[in-house]
Amino acid sequence: MRAARLIKMVLLLQSRPSMTAAELARELEVSERTVARDVLSLSEAGVPVYADRGRAGGYRLVGGYRTRLTGLGRSEAEALFLSGVPSALREMGLADAASAARLKVSAALLPELRDAASGAAQRFHLDAPGWYHEPGTPPLLPTVADAVWDDRRLSARYLRKDTEVERELEPYGLVLKAGVWYLAARPRDKAPTGHTAGAGQTAAGPGTGFRVYRVDRFTAVDTTGERFHRDESFDLPAFWAERAAQFTRSLLRAEVVLRLSAQGVRQLPHVTDRVAAGEAVDSAGPPDAEGRLTVTLAVESEEVAYAQLLGLGPECEVCAPAALRERFAAAARRAAALYS
């Protein structure tokens, strides 16, 4: 632990012109007295750390000293590729690895380039969760993430509706969607025969047998210690895009017929499913004499369509089904009475 802290101190001093004892204590999560003792230990070990006295003083490395301890470990390199999503790193237990990786990269840069990381961080930031949603971190996420990194099977219990089921899973990848974590995994019974470490067998296709699980619905997970042979044809982004599209299509079980003004056409993708809105507009005929476009829109249900389309107001006329049209007409009458 102390050796790792001393290395981190050297990397911090190597990446910046100088640092005060307070700054080092904050970065290393120790007291200033511990910083002073660590600096003394480094000096005794031959690392040229120099202390500047006075109010503007601090610690710095003398004569452009550079350590050779800048090689990235595997976990640090992998975490570095995720460093644009700091909340995800924290939830998977990789924040420390990412911090060490960034320090090593910074220490390896030329002095005139060392502000690149802070410059990028102040200009670009990814905030994954949706608005009005405070996601909780699934307590079992770090265990699941470790299994994903290490290609180790998981023995898991999972809530499916009101029933708890047991599965042995081959965890392939994690996806963070709008603040919710999902695991792409293949149940053991769906894996090809002989699909074990060293077997060298490949699945029939990149999506064969894979399923998606919400991580917050796992009630228990445990690594079996058994590694599986990863199907190299599996493409996580492509798999997720296909499954997300399938999920959206599976929800759209009803249809409504609308007459939209030009403004209504522009607003439709913002109140309902964007893909369904695009398909409805693309398949419509020419506008009528009033400039309105008649479209057939796929929706989840009449109830959902009512909630979504009401916000379009007079830019949208519901033509069918008749029961939904009457519901909109009743809402229009109530609104007219309020404003009369």
Side-chain angles (χ1 to χ4, degrees):
M1 183 69 179
R2 183 166 183 264
R5 189 175 71 242
L6 292 173
I7 292 171
K8 187 173 183 179
M9 178 182 286
V10 174
L11 291 171
L12 283 167
L13 293 173
Q14 186 172 309
S15 64
R16 307 178 194 182
S18 68
M19 295 184 69
T20 65
E23 289 171 337
L24 284 168
R26 185 167 57 251
E27 290 279 357
L28 299 171
E29 298 180 350
V30 295
S31 67
E32 293 186 32
R33 181 170 293 185
T34 299
V35 168
R37 287 199 298 265
D38 286 351
V39 167
L40 181 60
S41 297
L42 287 173
S43 296
E44 291 173 348
V47 178
V49 182
Y50 181 78
D52 289 317
R53 306 295 180 185
R55 293 182 59 185
Y59 296 102
R60 61 185 176 86
L61 291 174
V62 178
Y65 175 85
R66 301 184 66 79
T67 176
R68 295 173 181 264
L69 298 172
T70 52
L72 292 179
R74 181 177 180 83
S75 64
E76 295 168 349
E78 289 168 335
L80 191 61
F81 285 104
L82 296 172
S83 58
V85 195
S87 60
L89 286 168
R90 286 194 300 272
E91 292 178 12
M92 288 192 292
L94 294 171
D96 288 343
S99 175
R102 285 192 294 269
L103 270 175
K104 290 181 178 180
V105 170
S106 180
L109 293 175
L110 294 172
E112 60 268 23
L113 298 178
R114 287 177 187 163
D115 64 345
S118 60
Q122 295 305 319
R123 288 168 173 80
F124 301 99
H125 176 68
L126 177 61
D127 184 9
W131 291 107
Y132 315 116
H133 177 63
E134 279 297 329
T137 302
L140 299 175
L141 177 62
T143 304
V144 174
D146 284 345
V148 170
W149 282 123
D150 208 26
D151 294 339
R152 294 194 181 274
R153 287 195 175 95
L154 282 174
S155 176
R157 290 203 298 271
Y158 183 81
L159 280 178
R160 189 170 62 191
K161 296 183 179 179
D162 296 328
T163 305
E164 190 175 69
V165 297
E166 292 189 18
R167 292 287 184 270
E168 189 167 330
L169 304 173
E170 295 178 350
Y172 269 67
L174 283 163
V175 176
L176 179 61
K177 170 70 172 179
V180 179
W181 285 96
Y182 297 88
L183 173 69
R186 179 156 48 192
R188 181 75 182 274
D189 60 346
K190 300 295 182 182
T193 305
H195 193 70
T196 56
Q201 298 197 2
T202 304
T208 303
F210 289 93
R211 294 180 179 174
V212 175
Y213 301 85
R214 277 187 61 148
V215 177
D216 58 5
R217 291 183 184 170
F218 285 115
T219 58
V221 293
D222 186 29
T223 53
T224 65
E226 183 181 359
R227 301 192 71 171
F228 63 91
H229 180 71
R230 190 177 182 87
D231 178 3
E232 296 302 330
S233 68
F234 179 76
D235 183 337
L236 180 60
F239 168 79
W240 178 258
E242 180 185 349
R243 289 303 169 93
Q246 289 176 357
F247 177 73
T248 300
R249 287 194 296 270
S250 72
L251 293 177
L252 306 180
R253 303 186 182 96
E255 288 185 342
V256 296
V257 180
L258 314 172
R259 286 180 70 237
L260 299 168
S261 67
Q263 185 174 344
V265 170
R266 291 192 296 270
Q267 292 179 343
L268 186 64
H270 301 291
V271 299
T272 188
D273 181 75
R274 186 175 295 273
V275 174
E279 292 175 348
V281 172
D282 291 342
S283 61
D288 59 21
E290 297 179 13
R292 287 184 172 255
L293 198 67
T294 299
V295 303
T296 300
L297 176 69
V299 294
E300 185 174 343
S301 66
E302 290 185 23
E303 187 69 30
V304 171
Y306 177 78
Q308 291 176 335
L309 300 174
L310 197 61
L312 295 181
E315 309 305 328
C316 171
E317 177 190 354
V318 176
C319 303
L324 185 61
R325 178 180 174 85
E326 177 52 37
R327 191 171 178 183
F328 271 85
R333 289 192 292 270
R334 292 199 305 273
L338 284 174
Y339 289 98
S340 61

